[in-house]
């Protein structure tokens, strides 16, 4: 089942093959913060900002989640890295 980034009921991203692929996209877009988890103050866990969600969804009829992932990976390799 493919996944995408949503805000309320609006799909904001292309669909990707796995939830991890969308987390990677969200982190790169600056939508992920590290939050302290409940009782363990030393443990941080990733959290999406502003009520964004990653949900399973159907790909659009003309959309290929595997191609979307390949395109995103290729773009990431071509972007200059800032140190």
């Amino acid at each position: 089942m493919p996944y995408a980034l949503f805000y309320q009921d609006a799909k904001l991203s292309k669909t990707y093959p796995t939830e991890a692929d969308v987390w990677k996209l969200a982190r790169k877009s600056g939508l992920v913060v590290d939050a302290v988890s409940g009782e363990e103050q030393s443990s941080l866990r990733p959290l999406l900002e502003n009520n964004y969600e990653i949900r399973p969804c159907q790909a659009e009829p003309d959309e290929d989640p595997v191609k979307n992932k390949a395109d995103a990976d290729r773009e990431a390799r071509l972007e200059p890295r800032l140190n």
Side-chain angles (χ1 to χ4, degrees):
M1 168 78 49
Y3 289 82
L5 181 69
F6 285 83
Y7 178 72
Q8 296 176 352
D9 288 329
K11 181 177 151 190
L12 301 178
S13 72
K14 296 177 181 179
T15 55
Y16 293 88
T18 68
E19 185 176 1
D21 296 326
V22 185
W23 273 103
K24 192 161 109 176
L25 171 73
R27 184 173 295 282
K28 183 178 173 190
S29 299
L31 300 176
V32 177
V33 295
D34 289 324
V36 176
S37 63
E39 299 168 2
E40 265 194 66
Q41 297 296 323
S42 63
S43 175
L44 296 177
R45 64 182 178 88
L47 181 70
L48 291 169
E49 286 189 335
N50 301 323
N51 297 322
Y52 289 104
E53 295 179 273
I54 296 173
R55 295 188 212 159
C57 64
Q58 294 295 324
E60 300 296 324
D62 60 341
E63 187 177 35
D64 180 358
V66 174
K67 182 181 180 309
N68 290 343
K69 179 183 180 339
D71 291 346
D73 290 345
R74 185 175 43 258
E75 287 176 23
R77 284 192 310 272
L78 295 176
E79 289 180 1
R81 293 186 182 233
L82 301 176
N83 291 332

